[in-house]
Amino acid sequence: MNRIAVVPGSFDPVTLGHLDVIERAARLFDEVHVVVVHNPDKNAMLPIAQRVSLIERSVADAGIGANVTVASWSVGLLVDYCTDVGAQVLIKGIRSQVDVAYETPMAIVNRHLAEVETIFMLPDPSHAHVSSSLVRQVAALGGDVEPYVPRAVYEYLQET
Ligand code: PNS
């Protein structure tokens, strides 16, 4: 049986912290689906198609693309995507107790809904402070986000 994991998120934009989780997931599973999920609670900076494209380029640039698929999901439950592609596992990066508190109810509900397990992955300490919201704020105020994002994202933000 193929072991398939889904790494979901807003990825607005993808950061080096996300890329670290994707890379480590790709080593553990036969297939990894990185899924850009529309989160109605957040004011998005980038359109979903742009976020998908930046993840695809970042994954390819990092040389971790062989078993990684990038997709988007904007209608219905995330576990429905998991069922569609035969994924047994969701992977979430956990930076702090705040993340644990936010993620725990979703993990329990996703297991009740579709028997999809959630695995929490600790980030490398070098990325523990990095978030998309921080990148959006620094970029909007004209600061340098190069240390926090893949090159494709850095170049895209420079151009826009
Ligand atoms: O990067 P984010 O914004 O922290 O990602 C949160 C996300 C998109 C992974 C989360 O909001 C999510 O899982 N949404 C899916 C909607 C869903 O299925 N909800 C019901 C069960 S939790």
Side-chain angles (χ1 to χ4, degrees), residues 8-11 37 39 42 77-78 92 102 106 109-110 113:
S10 299
F11 301 108
V37 182
N39 186 344
K42 292 187 176 174
L77 296 167
L78 180 60
K92 300 283 187 79
Y102 175 66
M106 291 198 282
V109 168
N110 284 328
L113 284 170

Side-chain angles (χ1 to χ4, degrees), residues 34-145:
V34 181
V35 181
V36 178
V37 182
H38 169 64
N39 186 344
D41 297 337
K42 292 187 176 174
N43 263 340
M45 176 176 75
L46 303 176
I48 286 193
Q50 187 62 57
R51 292 183 239 167
V52 169
S53 158
L54 288 171
I55 298 167
E56 285 172 339
R57 283 164 56 193
S58 303
V59 163
D61 289 349
I64 51 175
N67 60 341
V68 176
T69 302
V70 187
S72 63
W73 187 250
S74 46
V75 179
L77 296 167
L78 180 60
V79 290
D80 291 340
Y81 179 93
C82 296
T83 304
D84 283 357
V85 301
Q88 310 89 353
V89 169
L90 287 164
I91 297 185
K92 300 283 187 79
I94 291 289
R95 292 158 302 187
S96 67
Q97 290 300 323
V98 175
D99 283 348
V100 174
Y102 175 66
E103 296 292 349
T104 298
M106 291 198 282
I108 293 167
V109 168
N110 284 328
R111 189 161 55 81
H112 287 168
L113 284 170
E115 293 179 23
V116 173
E117 295 286 351
T118 298
I119 294 178
F120 292 153
M121 198 178 268
L122 294 176
D124 186 88
S126 59
H127 303 306
H129 58 295
V130 178
S131 67
S132 296
S133 58
L134 178 132
V135 168
R136 289 196 300 275
Q137 190 177 79
V138 172
L141 297 172
D144 180 15
V145 296

